[in-house]
Amino acid sequence: MSHRIVVALGGNALGKNLEEQYLAVRETAEAIVDLIAAGNQVILAHGNGPQVGMIQKAMAELTRSDPEMYIPCPLSVCVAMSQGYIGYDLQNALREALFTRRIPKPVSTVLTQVEVDPADPAFLHPTKPIGAFMTKAEAEQLIVQRGYEVIEDAGRGYRRVVASPMPRAIIELETVRTLMEAGQVVIACGGGGIPVFRKDGYILKDAAAVIDKDFAAELLAESLEADLLIILTAVEKVAIRYRQPGETWLTELTPEEAEAYAKAGEFAPGSMLPKVEAAIRFARSAPGRTALITQLQKASAGIHGETGTRIAQRL
Ligand code: ADP
Ligand code: MG
């Protein structure tokens, strides 16, 4: 049976620096092409943590070295750069892997903006530290000059924090859909997408925020009416009592069971919790939709029910 699958790639699918990424995308591409070769329609979303960190650091150095010439680079621009950089490596690795297996499919990367709600409660409590550590003086300057919110991070220095609002709509959805329907392999929603507010209906204004890539991938899957959301990460399955006595790996869960474990604090916020929450949301969005959380190398086995953790309504 063939599926329409949105695959969310985690940090380990992309590596942490230029060299690692160049190598990691090769293995990632093989796993993705396995899914395509089996007859599935695949759309890719991905994270960007280390990449956007690298870009922000480079841009901050530039401002520091020549403040007359370079104003601080907005987060939205850094995310856009990361989508381009990751898309470039991933797209080419996929292209090569497809060509090698004689699958004539073009690959494209869509620069993706994702609408967020200015009334999202996340904006009242920014939680996501981004960018480099700063001194107190540097932090105070940015608070005054640019209205940044800054936290003191456990004695290690000061860091900017931004909100992590929920994604509401994918601005370039119809572009992604058109490419997908034309048989292309599409990479979209990189780094959760560039968060934007909608002004006067059609004007977009960048939001100082980051969207969780797991939630953006879920929205993409729902919006494209995918039947499978696969979240690929560093673990083969989700566990309860993770890394504690009595650790138990989960295979099959209903959204209600997953929610009960989430409420009980079984999944770490910022890592496994958003994946499980995204999986619950997708499984509930329509009957017959399944979310699978597993490791990159296990994606194909996971589709056949051989491994991974699947969340789906019991029919
Ligand atoms: P990604 O880059 O794929 O989003 P994250 O580091 O954000 O990866 O999240 C995956 C990590 O979540 C796993 O590598 C694992 O260490 C951690 N984790 C936290 N809680 C759990 C749990 N209950 N079961 C499995 N993994 C968990
Ligand atoms: Mg993560």
Side-chain angles (χ1 to χ4, degrees):
M1 194 181 137
S2 73
H3 300 277
R4 176 177 295 172
I5 311 173
V6 169
V7 177
L9 299 172
N12 67 328
L14 301 171
K16 288 190 285 295
N17 55 41
L18 278 117
E19 197 185 10
E20 279 186 25
Q21 179 172 301
Y22 184 78
L23 296 172
V25 290
R26 262 135 245 285
E27 196 184 345
T28 302
E30 289 303 325
I32 299 302
V33 173
D34 285 341
L35 303 180
I36 297 168
N40 300 295
Q41 197 174 28
V42 176
I43 304 96
L44 292 162
H46 62 80
N48 72 345
Q51 293 80 4
V52 78
M54 175 184 94
I55 292 164
Q56 278 182 309
K57 199 170 173 194
M59 298 312 284
E61 282 302 318
L62 215 52
T63 311
R64 207 166 296 192
S65 69
D66 189 352
E68 304 280 295
M69 179 73 181
Y70 302 103
I71 61 161
C73 183
L75 183 55
S76 53
V77 176
C78 294
V79 175
M81 290 180 180
S82 78
Q83 288 186 353
Y85 157 53
I86 295 166
Y88 167 57
D89 271 353
L90 194 53
Q91 186 177 318
N92 283 338
L94 284 163
R95 193 186 146 86
E96 257 182 61
L98 288 163
F99 180 82
T100 308
R101 296 211 225 165
R102 306 272 182 274
I103 302 172
K105 267 185 184 298
V107 187
S108 49
T109 303
V110 175
L111 192 104
T112 319
Q113 303 174 89
V114 174
E115 187 183 348
V116 296
D117 180 355
D120 192 305
F123 285 106
L124 301 174
H125 321 278
T127 51
K128 194 105 182 160
I130 57 152
F133 285 97
M134 300 176 279
T135 64
K136 191 171 185 189
E138 286 170 325
E140 278 166 357
Q141 197 180 4
L142 289 173
I143 293 169
V144 174
Q145 286 180 352
R146 308 194 68 85
Y148 284 6
E149 298 232 19
V150 171
I151 54 153
E152 210 265 296
D153 192 344
R156 291 184 297 168
Y158 291 78
R159 254 182 125 190
R160 184 178 176 199
V161 279
V162 296
S164 188
M166 287 304 285
R168 297 285 169 216
I170 294 162
I171 304 291
E172 288 76 15
L173 181 66
E174 291 317 308
T175 309
V176 175
R177 191 193 301 280
T178 302
L179 291 165
M180 172 191 84
E181 283 172 355
Q184 302 219 12
V185 181
V186 191
I187 302 163
C189 290
I194 304 164
V196 293
F197 300 128
R198 213 180 257 280
K199 276 176 65 186
D200 307 325
Y202 67 97
I203 299 170
L204 302 176
K205 167 89 184 70
D206 64 332
V210 290
I211 299 169
D212 198 298
K213 73 102 179 26
D214 300 308
F215 292 129
E218 192 281 327
L219 179 61
L220 183 64
E222 260 192 61
S223 308
L224 293 172
E225 292 102 31
D227 57 309
L228 192 55
L229 169 66
I230 306 186
I231 302 179
L232 297 179
T233 187
V235 285
E236 189 170 333
K237 291 183 183 187
V238 180
I240 49 172
R241 296 185 288 282
Y242 180 62
R243 289 190 172 159
Q244 290 162 49
E247 178 178 69
T248 306
W249 299 100
L250 304 169
T251 303
E252 205 119 3
L253 291 165
T254 63
E256 292 66 39
E257 288 162 344
E259 196 163 54
Y261 287 136
K263 282 214 175 96
E266 293 288 354
F267 314 123
S271 60
M272 189 47 77
L273 184 61
K275 296 183 205 315
V276 173
E277 287 178 342
I280 292 170
R281 204 175 259 261
F282 185 67
R284 278 189 175 147
S285 65
R289 287 183 175 168
T290 300
L292 172 70
I293 302 172
T294 192
Q295 229 169 15
L296 178 69
Q297 299 78 6
K298 306 284 176 177
S300 290
I303 287 194
H304 296 115
E306 292 158 20
T307 188
T309 302
R310 41 179 69 227
I311 300 181
Q313 290 177 7
R314 222 161 260 141
L315 295 176

